[in-house]
Amino acid sequence: MTTIYETNEWHGYGKQNYYWYEYRLEGNTVVKYKCNRFKSFNGQESNWEESETAEDGWEIDDPNMPEWLHNYL
């Protein structure tokens, strides 16, 4: 798995909640992940936590893959 493109981070809801997209090459498939980092309080201290979910995916030769993404392969 290799990250081929990452968008700029943007603020989500709340002061310490951020999102960005990562496009990763996994074999012959490009997968778009929505990534999130946020600060949570566990009762004693605040910690940064991260999560990600796969949103979309395309085979390398898929005509539905965004054209600009071919430049990063």
Tab-separated table of all heavy atoms in Angstrom, residues 3 8 10 16 19 21-22 25 33 35 37 39 44 47 49 53 55 58 64 70 73:
chain	number	residue	atom	x	y	z
A	3	THR	N	0.680	5.590	-0.478
A	3	THR	CA	-0.107	6.814	-0.648
A	3	THR	C	0.432	7.552	-1.856
A	3	THR	O	1.617	7.901	-1.901
A	3	THR	CB	-0.033	7.695	0.609
A	3	THR	OG1	-0.542	6.959	1.721
A	3	THR	CG2	-0.838	8.971	0.432
A	8	ASN	N	-5.191	18.605	1.188
A	8	ASN	CA	-4.976	19.455	2.349
A	8	ASN	C	-6.012	19.129	3.412
A	8	ASN	O	-7.132	18.729	3.098
A	8	ASN	CB	-5.083	20.941	1.978
A	8	ASN	CG	-3.934	21.397	1.122
A	8	ASN	OD1	-2.836	20.870	1.209
A	8	ASN	ND2	-4.187	22.385	0.281
A	10	TRP	N	-8.790	19.908	6.288
A	10	TRP	CA	-9.783	20.936	6.547
A	10	TRP	C	-10.446	20.673	7.891
A	10	TRP	O	-10.463	19.551	8.371
A	10	TRP	CB	-10.809	21.035	5.415
A	10	TRP	CG	-11.769	19.900	5.311
A	10	TRP	CD1	-12.961	19.765	5.956
A	10	TRP	CD2	-11.630	18.713	4.517
A	10	TRP	NE1	-13.581	18.586	5.616
A	10	TRP	CE2	-12.777	17.919	4.735
A	10	TRP	CE3	-10.643	18.244	3.648
A	10	TRP	CZ2	-12.953	16.692	4.113
A	10	TRP	CZ3	-10.840	17.023	3.037
A	10	TRP	CH2	-11.976	16.275	3.269
A	16	GLN	N	-11.121	20.837	17.397
A	16	GLN	CA	-9.992	19.930	17.192
A	16	GLN	C	-10.430	18.683	16.437
A	16	GLN	O	-10.287	17.563	16.903
A	16	GLN	CB	-9.370	19.578	18.543
A	16	GLN	CG	-8.843	20.810	19.228
A	16	GLN	CD	-8.451	20.550	20.670
A	16	GLN	OE1	-8.957	19.653	21.305
A	16	GLN	NE2	-7.543	21.357	21.166
A	19	TYR	N	-10.155	16.703	8.793
A	19	TYR	CA	-10.370	15.693	7.766
A	19	TYR	C	-9.425	15.923	6.595
A	19	TYR	O	-8.997	17.047	6.328
A	19	TYR	CB	-11.803	15.755	7.224
A	19	TYR	CG	-12.844	15.322	8.211
A	19	TYR	CD1	-13.479	16.239	9.040
A	19	TYR	CD2	-13.207	13.988	8.310
A	19	TYR	CE1	-14.438	15.837	9.952
A	19	TYR	CE2	-14.168	13.572	9.210
A	19	TYR	CZ	-14.779	14.502	10.026
A	19	TYR	OH	-15.734	14.089	10.929
A	21	TYR	N	-8.350	13.640	2.542
A	21	TYR	CA	-8.470	12.435	1.718
A	21	TYR	C	-7.080	11.934	1.360
A	21	TYR	O	-6.171	12.724	1.104
A	21	TYR	CB	-9.233	12.710	0.419
A	21	TYR	CG	-10.710	12.901	0.612
A	21	TYR	CD1	-11.302	14.135	0.403
A	21	TYR	CD2	-11.520	11.841	0.985
A	21	TYR	CE1	-12.668	14.316	0.573
A	21	TYR	CE2	-12.894	12.015	1.149
A	21	TYR	CZ	-13.445	13.247	0.945
A	21	TYR	OH	-14.791	13.414	1.117
A	22	GLU	N	-6.935	10.624	1.332
A	22	GLU	CA	-5.718	9.990	0.845
A	22	GLU	C	-6.099	9.013	-0.257
A	22	GLU	O	-7.082	8.287	-0.137
A	22	GLU	CB	-4.998	9.229	1.963
A	22	GLU	CG	-4.354	10.123	2.974
A	22	GLU	CD	-3.565	9.354	4.021
A	22	GLU	OE1	-3.413	8.116	3.897
A	22	GLU	OE2	-3.091	10.000	4.969
A	25	LEU	N	-2.450	3.391	-3.572
A	25	LEU	CA	-2.327	2.322	-4.554
A	25	LEU	C	-2.171	1.013	-3.802
A	25	LEU	O	-1.222	0.822	-3.046
A	25	LEU	CB	-1.124	2.576	-5.456
A	25	LEU	CG	-0.924	1.615	-6.608
A	25	LEU	CD1	-2.131	1.610	-7.541
A	25	LEU	CD2	0.335	1.972	-7.376
A	33	TYR	N	-9.488	7.114	0.587
A	33	TYR	CA	-9.812	7.037	2.005
A	33	TYR	C	-10.136	8.419	2.549
A	33	TYR	O	-9.443	9.389	2.225
A	33	TYR	CB	-8.625	6.492	2.808
A	33	TYR	CG	-8.383	5.025	2.641
A	33	TYR	CD1	-7.515	4.557	1.673
A	33	TYR	CD2	-9.024	4.106	3.456
A	33	TYR	CE1	-7.276	3.199	1.513
A	33	TYR	CE2	-8.792	2.745	3.308
A	33	TYR	CZ	-7.924	2.304	2.339
A	33	TYR	OH	-7.701	0.957	2.186
A	35	CYS	N	-9.903	10.392	5.824
A	35	CYS	CA	-9.167	10.280	7.081
A	35	CYS	C	-9.620	11.379	8.030
A	35	CYS	O	-10.021	12.463	7.606
A	35	CYS	CB	-7.674	10.402	6.833
A	35	CYS	SG	-7.047	9.173	5.666
A	37	ARG	N	-8.730	13.069	12.104
A	37	ARG	CA	-8.024	13.079	13.383
A	37	ARG	C	-8.742	14.047	14.301
A	37	ARG	O	-9.248	15.089	13.874
A	37	ARG	CB	-6.548	13.400	13.228
A	37	ARG	CG	-6.212	14.816	12.854
A	37	ARG	CD	-4.697	14.985	12.728
A	37	ARG	NE	-4.384	16.327	12.301
A	37	ARG	CZ	-4.057	17.319	13.118
A	37	ARG	NH1	-3.956	17.112	14.403
A	37	ARG	NH2	-3.816	18.523	12.656
A	39	LYS	N	-9.177	15.249	18.748
A	39	LYS	CA	-8.683	15.173	20.108
A	39	LYS	C	-9.813	14.696	21.002
A	39	LYS	O	-10.930	15.176	20.923
A	39	LYS	CB	-8.197	16.545	20.572
A	39	LYS	CG	-7.012	16.489	21.468
A	39	LYS	CD	-6.431	17.854	21.691
A	39	LYS	CE	-4.935	17.733	21.810
A	39	LYS	NZ	-4.294	18.979	22.137
A	44	GLN	N	-8.321	12.131	32.066
A	44	GLN	CA	-7.091	12.634	32.656
A	44	GLN	C	-6.307	13.515	31.699
A	44	GLN	O	-5.702	14.483	32.111
A	44	GLN	CB	-6.219	11.463	33.112
A	44	GLN	CG	-6.862	10.639	34.201
A	44	GLN	CD	-5.991	9.446	34.584
A	44	GLN	OE1	-4.890	9.281	34.105
A	44	GLN	NE2	-6.525	8.607	35.444
A	47	ASN	N	-5.925	13.219	24.066
A	47	ASN	CA	-5.117	12.438	23.119
A	47	ASN	C	-5.651	12.627	21.712
A	47	ASN	O	-6.853	12.743	21.510
A	47	ASN	CB	-5.176	10.943	23.462
A	47	ASN	CG	-4.567	10.638	24.799
A	47	ASN	OD1	-3.467	11.071	25.098
A	47	ASN	ND2	-5.293	9.899	25.613
A	49	GLU	N	-6.578	11.080	18.238
A	49	GLU	CA	-6.982	9.789	17.691
A	49	GLU	C	-7.219	9.955	16.200
A	49	GLU	O	-7.615	11.026	15.743
A	49	GLU	CB	-8.245	9.282	18.372
A	49	GLU	CG	-8.049	9.000	19.845
A	49	GLU	CD	-9.278	8.379	20.489
A	49	GLU	OE1	-9.947	7.580	19.811
A	49	GLU	OE2	-9.533	8.692	21.650
A	53	THR	N	-11.821	5.687	6.611
A	53	THR	CA	-12.796	4.810	5.974
A	53	THR	C	-12.574	4.870	4.463
A	53	THR	O	-12.304	5.938	3.909
A	53	THR	CB	-14.251	5.229	6.282
A	53	THR	OG1	-14.418	6.609	5.950
A	53	THR	CG2	-14.589	5.044	7.742
A	55	GLU	N	-13.723	5.165	0.835
A	55	GLU	CA	-14.891	5.812	0.235
A	55	GLU	C	-15.153	5.355	-1.197
A	55	GLU	O	-16.293	5.302	-1.617
A	55	GLU	CB	-14.697	7.332	0.235
A	55	GLU	CG	-14.632	7.923	1.611
A	55	GLU	CD	-15.724	8.930	1.827
A	55	GLU	OE1	-15.997	9.704	0.907
A	55	GLU	OE2	-16.282	8.933	2.919
A	58	TRP	N	-10.915	2.328	-7.640
A	58	TRP	CA	-10.891	2.120	-9.073
A	58	TRP	C	-9.727	1.212	-9.441
A	58	TRP	O	-8.648	1.328	-8.871
A	58	TRP	CB	-10.693	3.443	-9.821
A	58	TRP	CG	-11.638	4.522	-9.437
A	58	TRP	CD1	-12.869	4.761	-9.965
A	58	TRP	CD2	-11.444	5.526	-8.443
A	58	TRP	NE1	-13.449	5.840	-9.364
A	58	TRP	CE2	-12.586	6.338	-8.416
A	58	TRP	CE3	-10.410	5.826	-7.565
A	58	TRP	CZ2	-12.728	7.407	-7.565
A	58	TRP	CZ3	-10.552	6.894	-6.699
A	58	TRP	CH2	-11.700	7.676	-6.708
A	64	ASN	N	-13.666	5.120	-15.201
A	64	ASN	CA	-14.365	5.991	-14.258
A	64	ASN	C	-13.436	6.651	-13.239
A	64	ASN	O	-13.867	7.497	-12.468
A	64	ASN	CB	-15.434	5.196	-13.503
A	64	ASN	CG	-16.525	4.722	-14.437
A	64	ASN	OD1	-16.935	5.431	-15.341
A	64	ASN	ND2	-16.978	3.511	-14.221
A	70	HIS	N	-4.546	9.913	-12.779
A	70	HIS	CA	-3.609	9.164	-13.626
A	70	HIS	C	-2.208	9.788	-13.557
A	70	HIS	O	-1.220	9.087	-13.742
A	70	HIS	CB	-4.090	9.143	-15.090
A	70	HIS	CG	-5.260	8.259	-15.313
A	70	HIS	ND1	-5.159	6.893	-15.418
A	70	HIS	CD2	-6.584	8.544	-15.440
A	70	HIS	CE1	-6.343	6.377	-15.607
A	70	HIS	NE2	-7.232	7.349	-15.623
A	73	LEU	N	0.103	8.090	-10.892
A	73	LEU	CA	0.415	6.658	-10.969
A	73	LEU	C	1.775	6.416	-11.581
A	73	LEU	O	2.255	7.122	-12.373
A	73	LEU	CB	-0.662	5.919	-11.767
A	73	LEU	CG	-2.043	5.961	-11.143
A	73	LEU	CD1	-3.046	5.276	-12.068
A	73	LEU	CD2	-2.037	5.258	-9.805
